[in-house]
Amino acid sequence: MRMEEEIVALKVQMAPAKKQTVAWGIEQLYGPPDTQRFGDMGTAWASQTADSQPEWIVAYFEDEVAPQELHIYETFNPGAVNKVSIFTPLGNEVVVWQGIDPTKVGTGGGISKIPLKTIWPTKKVKIYLDSPAVNGWNEIDAVGLIDQKNQTQWTRFAETSSSYGSRSGNVIQCLAGMGPNQF
């Protein structure tokens, strides 16, 4: 096992304990969806700034599978997803979808179902968001990878270009009832 894979495996083991403590943090992407309604909720991931730059999420899954579809649970200001890539078993990033987010701008939220047409199995997916194109924070609750047998795996660990929850950790925990738009 490579050193990078060992580090990710350790972070995956620690992830469940962190999920409940960091509002709008990367940890909110772990596991199945748990945000109960659309809106600015600390149970979803949000980028550090609302519209400053394009953003990305790298989602890691437990098992390598031949992917069929990716489900992105957008819970606030959806419509920014514009590209998805997978990582091959050799670690190469390959773009497998590019286009207009299936969940329309202006809707409360929804599940963006992205078809993944590829010959490579994967356990790592990268989601690109054109954050400046959609006003406000683009919040995502969960990412599910669907295999050829229609089985869903949920994100076990993630990396992001930025995270609102990591900006002022203790303040965010104390003010968990307030969203990024309320500061």
Side-chain angles (χ1 to χ4, degrees), residues 54-69:
E55 301 285 348
W56 52 261
I57 296 167
V58 176
Y60 294 81
F61 302 91
E62 188 165 348
D63 299 316
E64 188 171 77
V65 297
Q68 173 181 293
E69 200 167 54

Side-chain angles (χ1 to χ4, degrees), residues 81-119:
V81 175
N82 66 347
K83 183 167 61 170
V84 173
S85 62
I86 61 134
F87 290 83
T88 69
L90 296 176
N92 299 319
E93 182 177 357
V94 178
V95 174
V96 292
W97 178 86
Q98 194 162 2
I100 297 171
D101 191 330
T103 304
K104 304 275 186 247
V105 174
T107 60
I111 304 170
S112 292
K113 296 179 179 182
I114 310 288
L116 301 180
K117 307 286 187 217
T118 178
I119 61 169

Side-chain angles (χ1 to χ4, degrees), residues 6-105:
E6 289 176 16
I7 291 170
V8 167
L10 287 172
K11 289 180 178 180
V12 164
Q13 289 176 353
M14 295 172 21
K18 287 184 168 183
K19 182 162 175 63
Q20 301 304 316
T21 62
V22 184
W24 297 285
I26 294 168
E27 298 84 1
Q28 298 305 330
L29 293 165
Y30 302 166
D34 62 355
T35 300
Q36 301 301 313
R37 64 184 193 281
F38 297 145
D40 186 9
M41 306 290 169
T43 54
W45 166 83
S47 58
Q48 186 172 6
T49 62
D51 301 317
S52 297
Q53 65 197 24
E55 301 285 348
W56 52 261
I57 296 167
V58 176
Y60 294 81
F61 302 91
E62 188 165 348
D63 299 316
E64 188 171 77
V65 297
Q68 173 181 293
E69 200 167 54
L70 190 70
H71 291 184
I72 305 167
Y73 289 72
E74 297 184 68
T75 57
F76 192 55
N77 296 323
V81 175
N82 66 347
K83 183 167 61 170
V84 173
S85 62
I86 61 134
F87 290 83
T88 69
L90 296 176
N92 299 319
E93 182 177 357
V94 178
V95 174
V96 292
W97 178 86
Q98 194 162 2
I100 297 171
D101 191 330
T103 304
K104 304 275 186 247
V105 174

